Amino acid sequence: MPVPSPTVALGSKIRVPVERAIERCVIYRDGRPVRGAYNYREALEEVRRTGEGYVWLGLYEPDERQMMLISQAYDVHELIVEDVVSARQRPKLERYGDQFFFVIRNVKYTDDAIVSDAREIIETGEVQMIVGRDFIITIRHGEKSTITGLKKRLEGDPEQCALGPSAVAWLISDVLVDDYIRIARLLSIDVDDLENEVFSPDSSFDIEQIYRLKREILEMRHAIDPLAPALRTLTANQHGLLSDQISKYFIDVLDHEISAMDQIASHDERLTSLINAGVAKISMQQNADMRRLSALVGMAAVPTMIAGIYGMNFQNMPELNTEYGYYVVLGVMALSVVAMWLLFKKNKWL
């Protein structure tokens, strides 16, 4: 499939310069950034001229034309370009000759959100990586795709960065998967709080809280669960792409990913149990409320019946002409209410 000419506007009549999509363009040698200003073409030419180091090109939501121009300079397969532009990819790994395309989703947890809040507490972004022998291109999609803590890891691990572009891919993956585990622990606190509310005696709770948190956890599962098969593929079947050392690093990331998956799956199961328990508790509360209402109606029914009988205005009714008939009737009403109250109290209807 021929690559379109750089002079052709693709997918848009407005030609936005490639530089508008570039967040970083850095040459790394011996694990450290090289000083100097290079555009995306000059950086790769410099690396290939000297035969040392590699280029890290960072992009944010490039359009089709911008990505096509970059693919020409870096000889990126056109199928990768299509996936990059369309975005919204599931975590996956695809190999194209001596390059591989790796997609991983990052997860953001809103620390100041509480479970009862209607806002989303889990939001996801997308990070794509195109890894070649002398370059790595990272593409972010979404406002929540910022990789928190990556700069600190890069500055603290120059020896790992010196291992090549695949080492940068590992560092990014490691930071994001470690964030999965951190978020899983924070979600555990939310689930524990809900369990305390549901199972505490005489506590009132909103079952919508459980549904909201379960929705957020399901979103996280959709974002992270497909990563495990991609990592297995990367570490098992991609001979020639990764060194043995980097492969071991990715195996460690896979272990952390499986741990995060297990924790999130456990939270999901606990929430399912909480929903069942919550529904059962709500049914019991409703039954108790119906018993109370029935008891109150029953206590009011006897005085109402007596008052109704004596309100029929017949001439020859008992006690009508008795001096204390009015007080006797009131006493009977009061005694009936007290007797029924004692009966309902004994049966725990009140």
Side-chain angles (χ1 to χ4, degrees), residues 195-233:
E195 284 184 337
N196 292 334
E197 289 184 16
V198 172
F199 292 112
S200 295
D202 301 325
S203 66
S204 59
F205 67 95
D206 182 5
I207 198 169
E208 291 295 328
Q209 298 176 12
I210 306 176
Y211 285 115
R212 281 195 292 267
L213 186 57
K214 186 173 178 64
R215 179 196 63 194
E216 301 302 316
I217 286 180
L218 284 176
E219 181 178 353
M220 185 169 178
R221 292 192 70 177
H222 293 156
I224 73 173
D225 283 5
L227 179 60
L231 289 171
R232 290 191 183 97
T233 301

Side-chain angles (χ1 to χ4, degrees), residues 100-163:
F100 68 87
F101 179 57
F102 186 34
V103 180
I104 183 170
R105 299 192 69 84
N106 61 326
V107 179
K108 296 295 181 183
Y109 175 86
T110 306
D111 294 319
D112 60 350
I114 58 175
V115 175
S116 60
D117 198 341
R119 295 176 299 171
E120 291 186 351
I121 63 173
I122 295 292
E123 296 179 288
T124 61
E126 182 176 338
V127 179
Q128 303 169 338
M129 291 174 272
I130 306 170
V131 183
R133 295 191 180 278
D134 53 9
F135 68 86
I136 176 171
I137 303 174
T138 57
I139 306 100
R140 298 192 304 113
H141 288 278
E143 295 180 358
K144 303 300 179 180
S145 59
T146 304
I147 308 172
T148 306
L150 179 59
K151 182 178 179 181
K152 183 178 180 181
R153 286 292 303 273
L154 290 171
E155 294 175 350
D157 293 333
E159 294 181 0
Q160 278 76 15
C161 291
L163 297 176

Side-chain angles (χ1 to χ4, degrees), residues 145-184:
S145 59
T146 304
I147 308 172
T148 306
L150 179 59
K151 182 178 179 181
K152 183 178 180 181
R153 286 292 303 273
L154 290 171
E155 294 175 350
D157 293 333
E159 294 181 0
Q160 278 76 15
C161 291
L163 297 176
S166 58
V168 176
W170 161 70
L171 280 171
I172 293 173
S173 304
D174 193 44
V175 168
L176 294 182
V177 172
D178 284 348
D179 214 31
Y180 296 169
I181 295 177
R182 180 187 66 84
I183 292 171

Side-chain angles (χ1 to χ4, degrees), residues 170 174 234-236 242-255:
W170 161 70
D174 193 44
L234 180 61
T235 55
L242 303 179
S243 65
D244 291 340
Q245 186 174 0
I246 296 298
S247 182
K248 291 177 182 177
Y249 288 158
F250 272 108
I251 290 174
D252 181 66
V253 174
L254 175 60
D255 291 338

Side-chain angles (χ1 to χ4, degrees), residues 285-350:
Q285 290 174 345
Q286 289 176 342
N287 290 337
D289 292 340
M290 288 301 298
R291 285 198 300 267
R292 291 190 187 94
L293 289 175
S294 299
L296 293 174
V297 170
M299 291 168 60
V302 173
T304 302
M305 180 187 67
I306 296 174
I309 291 174
Y310 278 90
M312 291 189 293
N313 296 322
F314 289 110
Q315 291 295 325
N316 299 317
M317 291 183 69
E319 312 298 336
L320 281 180
N321 298 318
T322 304
E323 182 179 358
Y324 300 105
Y326 172 72
Y327 302 103
V328 171
V329 171
L330 288 180
V332 171
M333 289 182 179
L335 288 175
S336 65
V337 170
V338 171
M340 295 182 71
W341 182 85
L342 292 173
L343 177 63
F344 291 138
K345 195 71 174 178
K346 179 179 180 181
N347 293 328
K348 298 181 179 180
W349 281 39
L350 292 174

